[in-house]
Structure formats: C-alpha cells, structure tokens
Amino acid sequence: MDKRTNPLDSSFFGHPKPLLSLSATELWERFSYYGIRPLLVLFMIAAMNEGGLELDRGTASAVVGIFAGCLYLAALPGGWLADNWLGQKNATLIGALLIALGHLSIGLSVFSSFMFFLGLVFIVLGTGLFKTCASVMVGMLYKDNDTRRDSGFTIFYMGINIGGFIAPLICGLVQKEYGWHWGFGIGGIGMLIALVIFYFKTIPDFNEFGDKVGLDQSWVRPIVQRKGVGIWVCIALILLAIFIVLCGTGVIALNAVFIAKNMVVFVAGGSLLYFIYLLFFAGLNNYEKKNLIVFLILFIASSFFWSTFEQQPTSFNLFAKDYTDRIIFGWEIPVAWFQSINSLFIIIFAPIVGAFWIFLSKRNLECSSITKFALGVLFAGLSFGVMMIASKIVLASDGGLVSASWIIISLLFLTFGELALSPVGLSIMTQIAPNVIRGQVMGLWFVSISLGNVVAGLIGGGVEADKLEALPELFGNCVWMLFGMTVLLLIIRTPINKMLEKNTHTEGKK
C-alpha cells in the first residue's frame, strides 16, 4: 500500500501533518531571534538617557559577533546532548524554555544591564539545543528514499524566512514608537508563541504520527543512552553560573573586543589542529586526504563569506542609522526594517534561482557546485563593492546621507550570494567528506559559520560617525578579500570537480 494513503502522511499539501506545526514553531522561534538581532547593537550604543547601554561601537559590534558565533558553536554540544542524553523532544522543549527565559531577561534589562547579557547567554544555550533538533525532526518525517524530503525542507526554511522578514518590521516599529524594551519584549512574545505551538500542537502531532505512521527512530528517547551525562552537564552549568555571577559582580572584568579577537584565534586554531588530526591520525587513505584538503580550502572560503554576510546586524545596520536617508513622506523608517530585506529577497528569488539552475541543467549548461560556490563569494564581493561606492559618496559629501537604494541593492547581491553558496556548501561537504568522519566534517562546516560571525562583529564596529574616512577602506578590504577568494576557487575548480565526479561514481557503485 502507498504510504501516502495515510491522511496523516499527506494532510499538509501532500506532506506529513507534523510539518505544519513544526514549521510554525520554527517560524516564531526565528521571529524571536531576528526580531531582537537588529536591535542589539543599536541598543548597546544608545545613550543612557535614551534607555541604552552607551557602549562604544567596537564593543557593541564585538558582543553581537560573539553572540552569533556562540549560537553556531553551541549547536555542536546541543546536538550531541540530544542524541546521547535528552532525545529530540526534550532537547527542543528545554531549548525553547531557555530561549524564552533569555528574552524575558533581556526585557527586564531596564532594571539592570546584567540581565541583558544574561539573556544572551540563555538564548545561546537554548538555541544550541533547539536549532539542531528542529531540522532533525523534519528529516524524521520522511523515509530515506522519500522524494518529498527536499520540498519538505523547502517549506520548513520558508517558515524561517517568513519569520525573518516580519520580525524586524514589527519589533523595529514597536521599538521606535515605544522604546527598546517593548521592542525586545515583542521578540520574546514570538518565542512564547513558538513554545505554546510546540507543546500543544507539535508534540501531539508527532506522537500521533509516530503511533499511526511510524518514525525511523524515536524522537522521545536518545539514539544512544550514555550514562553519567547528566552529572557532567550539572557540573558545567554550575561552573557557568559561578562565572556569570563573578562577571555580574565585577570580580571578573571582560573586554568584548579582546574576547572576540581571541575567539577568532581559538576557533581558527582549534579547527586547524583538528583538521591536522583528521588528516594524519583518522586512518584516511591518500584520496580521502586530498578531499580533506579541498574541505579546508572551502572552509576558509566559507568563513570569508559569512564574515561579510553576517555584517547585516553590525556594519549594515550602523550605516543605515548614520548615513542613510530614511525619511519617506515625512516619516522616518526604523533602522531595523533594513534587516527584513534579505529574508524578503530570499522568499522572492529562491524559487526563481532554483528554476534557473534547472533551466541551465536541461540545456546541458549546468554550473558545477564549486562554480556556484565561487559565484556566491563573488556576489558577496559585489555587495560590498556597492557599499564601498556608497561610503565614498558619503565621504565626498562630508557626511551627507545617501539613498536607501544603496543598501537595498547591496543586500540584493548578498542574497544572490547566499542562494548560490549556502545550499551547495552542505551538498559539497556530503560528497567530499570521508565516510568515517562525515559527521565530524559536517560539524566543522558549521564552525566556519561561527568563525565568520565573530569576524563580522569585529569588522562591523569600524562604522563610526567620527571615522568617516575609514569607511571606504573597511568595505573595500572586504571586496578585495572576496574577489581574491573567488579567483582562487575558480583556479582550483577543475580538480575539485574531478573529485566530486569520482565521489559520485564511487557512491553509485556501492
């Protein structure tokens, strides 16, 4: 009997019923994140009498970079805890509760700046659990050979971008009209909605689906039940709590820029050492070692790309605040609204770009994966080229305002870069990663995104009103760095393509 004859397996546009509630949960969780993300740096640099923290821009931008970088790093232990101790259900639920608690703490920062930073810690811990599990649970709804899998993930990721689009619009407007803490509070309400949907809708839907259709693995129990994990988690949380208290009481003084710089060294150095370990001590043959070297090159290229892409909440945000004409019909557009543009472009152009690749493929003109990857880096370079020109116009006018179209065009190029690079990045990794260390290689791939976020935070702090002359150089350095990486990728694409073709043939014979 066709599995799709079961209504539960096809009740949501031909997809399993739980996909709807799971996508809605993810939409509101992303609403909470993208709602507060553009407000973070603006809140931290705002003067005390404006309700802000009055931090310097370098520090505020570094904090945002550390925060975003830690979100991706936390996904590694978070995924491990879900697989080895909590199970997907409990990990997601605990993660959602922690994120909600984080938003509550940020909302209460009106009473103490300590609550603001404590809230960021809670969101990092919660997202580490929530982020990996949500995607895993989508995959659990489909069998390995189910042709609906890709379109199911497309629906899921569309929910992410819808949340990313509406969140800055709503939170930015509320912040502008009613103050910082109301803006942060609306983001927190989004997380509470996500928590309610997950508990009262997603969990029952999954239980019903598991009972009547079946899942390949339990989403309630961990894949491997390791003993003693809870004890180590408790010890780690106690040590973290002690550290937070010492920081909050001023016993330990932290410098965000110093931490971010050292975090870059630590993450990059740790990744390199781990790469060396895999290369020489993981029992790989010569061909697999060559694949791993290719991975290292792509890891570096990915870090460069995300170090520019993730400047949206920092340098792009600050440029929109200081140097962009935001007046329309006498009303000032909230700065945070510019952070909705990327998600809007994703919603509009993702289907068009997908159709374009299919169009080329049918005419035997298909671009290879590495060419698409290089195009992604190239488009990011073009994006920053637009910002470099815009900053030169600002400099020539002695600090005058430029049209908002400059940022919009720049974000359009950046979106094309994301659509070209992000989907194929994971695809290439699954092709070149040696089977014996595939999971570890995929983990390292997400580390490249974390590294890019931290670097983006360090770069973004350079957009300052009293350092106007440095703007063209700041954006220009990003341009030449990205263009140089594009040239390198195009030079090595032929041998990489041969490796990918050989891997495909090898997989086909198995």
Side-chain angles (χ1 to χ4, degrees), residues 122-197:
F122 279 130
I123 292 175
V124 166
L125 295 176
T127 304
L129 292 170
F130 189 99
K131 188 174 182 64
T132 55
C133 294
S135 297
V136 169
M137 288 163 61
V138 173
M140 292 173 64
L141 297 174
Y142 303 93
K143 306 297 182 182
D144 289 339
N145 60 347
D146 195 328
T147 57
R148 301 173 297 164
R149 177 183 291 267
D150 287 348
S151 61
F153 272 98
T154 300
I155 294 172
F156 180 72
Y157 288 125
M158 191 60 70
I160 292 175
N161 284 290
I162 292 173
F165 169 63
I166 64 176
L169 297 178
I170 297 175
C171 295
L173 180 61
V174 171
Q175 179 275 317
K176 180 178 181 294
E177 299 296 332
Y178 301 103
W180 296 108
H181 303 292
W182 283 104
F184 287 128
I186 292 296
I189 290 175
M191 191 60 233
L192 290 177
I193 294 173
L195 182 58
V196 169
I197 292 174

Side-chain angles (χ1 to χ4, degrees), residues 68-69 72 302-303 306 310 444-454:
Y72 284 96
S302 172
S303 298
W306 294 111
E310 292 298 344
L444 278 173
W445 181 249
F446 286 107
V447 171
S448 73
I449 303 177
S450 171
L451 182 61
N453 272 274
V454 181

Side-chain angles (χ1 to χ4, degrees), residues 259-276:
I259 293 174
K261 289 179 178 178
N262 283 275
M263 188 173 173
V264 170
V265 174
F266 174 78
V267 174
S271 299
L272 179 61
L273 290 175
Y274 196 67
F275 165 80
I276 294 173

Side-chain angles (χ1 to χ4, degrees), residues 144-382:
D144 289 339
N145 60 347
D146 195 328
T147 57
R148 301 173 297 164
R149 177 183 291 267
D150 287 348
S151 61
F153 272 98
T154 300
I155 294 172
F156 180 72
Y157 288 125
M158 191 60 70
I160 292 175
N161 284 290
I162 292 173
F165 169 63
I166 64 176
L169 297 178
I170 297 175
C171 295
L173 180 61
V174 171
Q175 179 275 317
K176 180 178 181 294
E177 299 296 332
Y178 301 103
W180 296 108
H181 303 292
W182 283 104
F184 287 128
I186 292 296
I189 290 175
M191 191 60 233
L192 290 177
I193 294 173
L195 182 58
V196 169
I197 292 174
F198 183 77
Y199 189 81
F200 290 102
K201 182 62 177 170
T202 305
I203 290 178
D205 284 353
F206 255 81
N207 287 335
E208 183 183 24
F209 188 85
D211 292 339
K212 298 182 179 179
V213 180
L215 299 168
D216 286 342
Q217 64 185 60
S218 172
W219 77 300
V220 178
R221 296 183 298 275
I223 298 174
V224 179
Q225 185 69 61
R226 298 186 184 275
K227 296 181 179 180
V229 176
I231 296 175
W232 289 107
V233 170
C234 288
I235 293 174
L237 291 177
I238 291 171
L239 293 176
L240 177 62
I242 293 173
F243 177 75
I244 291 173
V245 170
L246 292 176
C247 292
T249 55
V251 176
I252 297 178
L254 300 178
N255 183 304
V257 176
F258 176 80
I259 293 174
K261 289 179 178 178
N262 283 275
M263 188 173 173
V264 170
V265 174
F266 174 78
V267 174
S271 299
L272 179 61
L273 290 175
Y274 196 67
F275 165 80
I276 294 173
Y277 161 76
L278 294 177
L279 188 64
F280 294 105
F281 302 103
L284 306 180
N285 58 42
N286 289 333
Y287 181 73
E288 290 173 330
K289 289 180 179 179
K290 291 179 181 178
N291 278 359
L292 204 58
I293 293 174
V294 172
F295 164 78
L296 178 62
I297 296 173
L298 297 182
F299 177 95
I300 296 172
S302 172
S303 298
F304 278 18
F305 174 84
W306 294 111
S307 70
T308 53
F309 183 88
E310 292 298 344
Q311 286 185 49
Q312 292 178 71
T314 53
S315 66
F316 278 63
N317 218 10
L318 295 171
F319 190 91
K321 176 181 182 297
D322 291 335
Y323 306 117
T324 302
D325 183 4
R326 295 182 282 114
I327 304 297
I328 295 182
F329 303 118
W331 185 72
E332 187 178 53
I333 298 174
V335 177
W337 279 22
F338 288 90
Q339 299 298 300
S340 289
I341 295 174
N342 171 244
S343 294
L344 176 62
F345 282 156
I346 288 288
I347 294 170
I348 294 173
F349 290 107
I352 297 175
V353 171
F356 178 69
W357 296 137
I358 295 174
F359 173 83
L360 292 180
S361 178
K362 290 181 177 179
R363 287 157 180 77
N364 294 321
L365 298 173
E366 182 178 13
C367 293
S368 66
S369 295
I370 192 64
T371 300
K372 293 176 183 177
F373 199 96
L375 284 174
V377 179
L378 174 63
F379 275 118
L382 293 174

Side-chain angles (χ1 to χ4, degrees), residues 12-77:
F12 178 54
F13 293 106
H15 289 271
K17 179 182 177 181
L19 181 63
L20 172 59
S21 56
L22 192 56
S23 298
T25 302
E26 182 71 8
L27 185 156
W28 285 105
E29 187 275 331
R30 289 290 85 186
F31 175 96
S32 71
Y33 173 68
Y34 286 108
I36 70 165
R37 190 178 78 151
L39 302 182
L40 293 177
V41 70
L42 300 175
F43 169 69
M44 285 187 280
I45 67 172
M48 290 286 190
N49 58 8
E50 297 175 351
L53 300 183
E54 206 167 342
L55 301 179
D56 65 87
R57 294 192 173 201
T59 297
S61 186
V63 169
V64 174
I66 294 169
F67 169 63
C70 288
L71 285 178
Y72 284 96
L73 287 180
L76 299 178

